[in-house]
Amino acid sequence: VDDLDKAVHFYSALLGAEPAKIKTDYAKWMLEDPRVNLAISTRSARIGIDHLGIQVSEETEAAEVIKRLAGARAETTPELATTCCYARSDKHWTHDPAGIPWEIYRTLEDAEIYGHGRPGAAAGQDGACCGPTGMAGDQV
């Protein structure tokens, strides 16, 4: 990270916890919750990390994360009842201090389609559907 203090402030707000270990050049969180959910796809126009996310079970959990982010002065953008990644979900998007997109999402139900492509998707593919366009820091 470019600015450790700024990143620690953001991630402490996002995760709802202070680092378990912090040094002048390093911070580490060791969490039991949220759990990790890894998804990979060939649909993005670029290789590498497209975005990261925190999955919640209830809307109240999403509201809690959004409130913490607001306290850290991090902008969030809602994307409600959207179909993406073979699921219909309510999502809220933000960017970390390095510009990496994060979604806070609650899956409402499975979907039979992947979703709707975003502008800039690879030719001939539906493209990555995750994330609203036009957010500050949007890297699409």
Side-chain angles (χ1 to χ4, degrees), residues 1 6-17 29 96-97 100 102:
V1 298
K6 188 174 181 180
V8 165
H9 183 70
F10 175 85
Y11 284 110
S12 294
L14 179 68
L15 300 171
W29 289 259
D96 74 7
I100 296 171
W102 278 83

Side-chain angles (χ1 to χ4, degrees), residues 59-136:
E59 186 56 35
T60 54
E61 293 173 279
E64 182 181 314
V65 176
I66 292 162
K67 183 178 178 181
R68 291 193 310 254
L69 288 168
R73 296 188 184 126
E75 178 184 334
T76 59
T77 301
E79 185 184 31
L80 305 177
T82 187
T83 300
C84 180
C85 302
Y86 299 102
R88 194 170 68 82
S89 304
D90 284 342
K91 302 178 179 210
H92 300 272
W93 291 91
T94 192
H95 287 88
D96 74 7
I100 296 171
W102 278 83
E103 68 175 319
I104 296 86
Y105 69 101
R106 180 173 65 105
T107 299
L108 305 171
E109 64 186 0
D110 285 340
E112 293 301 316
I113 63 169
Y114 182 80
H116 305 289
R118 289 170 58 181
Q125 295 183 340
D126 288 338
C129 57
C130 296
T133 57
M135 267 188 77

Side-chain angles (χ1 to χ4, degrees), residues 1-9 22-27:
V1 298
D2 290 336
D3 184 329
L4 186 66
D5 290 337
K6 188 174 181 180
V8 165
H9 183 70
I22 191 161
K23 303 291 183 186
T24 59
D25 61 346
Y26 175 87

Side-chain angles (χ1 to χ4, degrees), residues 45-59:
R46 60 192 156 113
I47 303 299
I49 293 176
D50 183 74
H51 67 281
L52 301 168
I54 294 177
Q55 184 173 359
V56 298
S57 300
E58 303 293 330
E59 186 56 35

